[in-house]
Amino acid sequence: MAISVKDLGRSPGVMRTMHEHVPAPKDFGVALIGVPEGTDLDLDLRFEAVHEGILVSGTVIAPVQGECGRCLKPIAYDEEVDVQELFYYEDSESFGTEEEEEQHRIERDVIDLEPVLRDAVVTALPFQPVCREDCEGLCSECGARLEEDPGHHHQSVDPRWAALSGLAGSAADNSAATSTESDEREES
């Protein structure tokens, strides 16, 4: 996404706008959600010459696709992100070695927008995407969608008491047998 800014020169106040659709680059997202490679990013940007360089500001609309982090349903929506970044001229003074790495430069009258757009769009994506806020997710035991079966549950026995569950069943059988014997004695 290299954009020529030669026409802006170094005259502060000179500006131009850009309304374009550009294909999304590879790996424009995170594990569960992102912008598919090759889909159109809708750019509405303004390039303005300032004393230190070129100020790029505007919006990017990106088609986002992914899956819910709770129930794994597909998610698709358009994300609108604001962009504002200053690209420094090659010969401008740097502000220190640490800040210099974070600065974006104009190289041979060309601006590379990809890192700026990637930072803006990817950081706007949700860390835990959900299909809706009250999504119940999946059953942790069998993987059933809890939304589709609201009364879904499993009979679970605490593993620490599992050995005693057999005794409880035989004790109930013994008490039933004992009460039957006592009932027979009362009848005779």
Side-chain angles (χ1 to χ4, degrees):
M1 288 189 226
I3 306 295
S4 174
V5 290
K6 188 172 188 164
D7 60 325
L8 296 175
R10 291 189 177 221
S11 305
V14 176
M15 79 167 208
R16 74 169 169 165
T17 59
M18 179 178 92
H19 305 284
E20 281 191 35
H21 298 284
V22 296
K26 185 178 179 183
D27 299 328
F28 215 66
V30 292
L32 288 178
I33 196 161
V35 179
E37 182 180 3
T39 58
D40 281 344
L41 297 174
D42 185 14
L43 305 179
D44 185 10
L45 301 174
R46 183 176 71 190
F47 298 85
E48 184 176 356
V50 294
H51 181 15
E52 299 87 10
I54 306 290
L55 178 66
V56 178
S57 57
T59 59
V60 177
I61 299 175
V64 177
Q65 293 180 5
E67 58 187 24
C68 177
R70 293 181 190 161
C71 70
L72 304 178
K73 275 187 178 179
I75 299 173
Y77 62 93
D78 287 341
E79 180 77 34
E80 184 172 341
V81 181
D82 291 327
V83 176
Q84 185 168 9
E85 190 68 41
L86 179 61
F87 287 81
Y88 292 90
Y89 295 121
E90 287 178 289
D91 57 355
S92 70
E93 296 177 18
S94 64
F95 299 110
T97 56
E98 290 179 22
E99 289 183 9
E100 187 174 328
E101 292 175 7
E102 296 175 10
Q103 294 176 358
H104 297 282
R105 298 274 183 192
I106 301 168
E107 296 178 11
R108 293 182 291 264
D109 294 324
V110 174
I111 290 176
D112 184 12
L113 286 177
E114 183 179 337
V116 172
L117 297 178
R118 182 180 302 276
D119 288 347
V121 172
V122 173
T123 57
L125 296 175
F127 183 68
Q128 290 285 333
V130 290
C131 56
R132 49 179 225 283
E133 290 302 315
D134 63 342
C135 177
E136 294 182 35
L138 303 174
C139 174
S140 61
E141 292 186 37
C142 67
R145 273 206 176 95
L146 297 177
E147 175 187 326
E148 296 169 1
D149 186 9
H152 181 82
H153 71 281
H154 294 274
Q155 190 69 13
S156 62
V157 176
D158 189 337
R160 297 172 289 184
W161 296 100
L164 295 177
S165 68
L167 293 176
S170 63
D173 293 342
N174 288 340
S175 70
T178 305
S179 75
T180 305
E181 288 174 13
S182 64
D183 290 343
E184 287 174 3
R185 278 189 233 147
E186 287 178 12
E187 290 176 5
S188 26

